[in-house]
């Protein structure tokens, strides 16, 4: 999984890998990430989540090799 | 609908972009929007904004926005440039051009593109304090 913008500062890394059980959802993965990187907890409700290039909901079930991105609200323009 | 998307660290050259404009004879409106870095971010003075993007996803999300424009308005073309990296105060970070038969659809489509971009395109800014 990848972290973008100031989430990278909170995690201290641009990406990491997690071993997840088969059938794990994106929401459960987010919870696991918050356990590992507690500094992200303050942004829990505003975190945007993408799998590959698409936004996905918390109930999306991840597949082997999926690239998950976590990031703060977008600010283009 | 023709689309052209540039996401890069290069400065936005309005004159060069205008020179490359191609319009069909049925087009009666061109809207050009320029987003420029202000000297104040929040309440604090800044010298620049450092823009970062998840570029591959940004291209994909802009593509979805352009698809939605094509379904909603009779727009002939959209060209959009978003600058990344350090953009000093007073310099543009965003340029959007929409050509359409009439001004109403050109204005509406341009607003839609910018509103959608702000919500969905993974670009972030980091203000550089003065």
């Amino acid at each position: 999984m990848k972290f973008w913008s100031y989430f990278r500062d909170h995690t201290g890394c641009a990406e990491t890998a997690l071993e997840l059980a088969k059938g794990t959802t994106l929401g459960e993965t987010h919870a696991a990430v918050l356990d590992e990187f507690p500094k992200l907890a303050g942004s829990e409700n505003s975190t945007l989540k993408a799998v590959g290039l698409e936004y996905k909901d918390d109930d999306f079930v991840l597949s082997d090799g999926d690239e998950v991105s976590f990031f703060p609200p977008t600010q283009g323009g | 609908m023709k689309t052209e998307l540039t996401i890069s660290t290069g400065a936005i050259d309005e004159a060069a972009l205008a020179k490359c404009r191609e319009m069909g004879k049925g087009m009666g409106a061109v809207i050009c929007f320029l987003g420029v870095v202000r000297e104040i971010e929040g309440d604090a003075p800044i010298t620049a904004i450092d823009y970062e993007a998840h570029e591959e996803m940004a291209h994909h999300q802009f593509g979805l926005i352009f698809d939605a424009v094509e379904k909603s308005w009779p727009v002939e073309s959209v060209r959009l440039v978003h600058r990344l990296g350090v953009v000093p105060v007073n310099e543009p970070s965003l340029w959007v051009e929409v050509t359409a038969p009439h001004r109403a659809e050109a204005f509406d489509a341009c607003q839609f593109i910018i509103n959608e971009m702000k919500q969905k395109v993974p670009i972030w800014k980091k203000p550089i304090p003065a």
Side-chain angles (χ1 to χ4, degrees):
Chain A
M1 56 202 61
K2 292 189 170 181
F3 305 106
W4 297 87
S5 183
Y6 60 81
F7 277 22
R8 225 175 18 240
D9 303 329
H10 289 338
T11 61
C13 62
E15 57 184 271
T16 188
L18 276 186
E19 287 278 337
L20 301 166
K22 196 173 179 183
T24 300
T25 64
L26 183 57
E28 290 164 344
T29 305
H30 188 204
V33 164
L34 294 179
D35 283 343
E36 187 157 342
F37 303 105
K39 284 186 180 171
L40 289 178
S43 307
E44 180 177 358
N45 294 328
S46 60
T47 296
L48 298 178
K49 296 156 225 171
V51 179
L53 307 180
E54 303 278 4
Y55 290 101
K56 296 292 183 191
D57 293 327
D58 278 347
D59 58 3
F60 180 83
V61 176
L62 294 172
S63 301
D64 209 18
D66 274 345
E67 182 180 284
V68 181
S69 288
F70 294 100
F71 47 82
T74 58
Q75 302 169 297
Chain B
M1 187 179 86
K2 287 181 289 184
T3 62
E4 193 177 297
L5 172 63
T6 306
I7 300 174
S8 85
T9 55
I12 293 174
D13 184 343
E14 286 179 80
L17 287 161
K19 216 172 181 178
C20 297
R21 180 177 304 134
E22 291 175 4
M23 284 179 70
K25 291 179 179 169
M27 296 303 109
V30 182
I31 300 296
C32 285
F33 172 83
L34 207 56
V36 178
V37 174
R38 284 186 295 267
E39 65 179 350
I40 301 286
E41 181 73 13
D43 291 329
I46 62 168
T47 59
I49 290 179
D50 189 359
Y51 286 91
E52 173 198 355
H54 179 336
E55 286 191 53
E56 196 182 355
M57 185 173 171
H59 277 272
H60 178 69
Q61 292 295 325
F62 269 126
L64 296 177
I65 294 169
F66 296 160
D67 289 346
V69 168
E70 186 168 22
K71 285 177 186 149
S72 303
W73 293 280
V75 165
E76 181 191 53
S77 69
V78 175
R79 292 192 292 161
L80 189 149
V81 182
H82 201 301
R83 192 172 167 187
L84 299 180
V86 176
V87 183
V89 165
N90 259 345
E91 289 192 21
S93 54
L94 173 69
W95 181 86
V96 186
E97 178 197 80
V98 177
T99 65
H102 304 99
R103 71 179 186 277
E105 54 255 25
F107 273 118
D108 288 350
C110 190
Q111 281 275 35
F112 174 82
I113 291 165
I114 296 164
N115 288 339
E116 288 291 293
M117 176 199 72
K118 285 184 174 289
Q119 288 183 36
K120 295 178 181 168
V121 177
I123 296 174
W124 304 275
K125 54 187 187 182
K126 188 175 184 181
I128 299 175

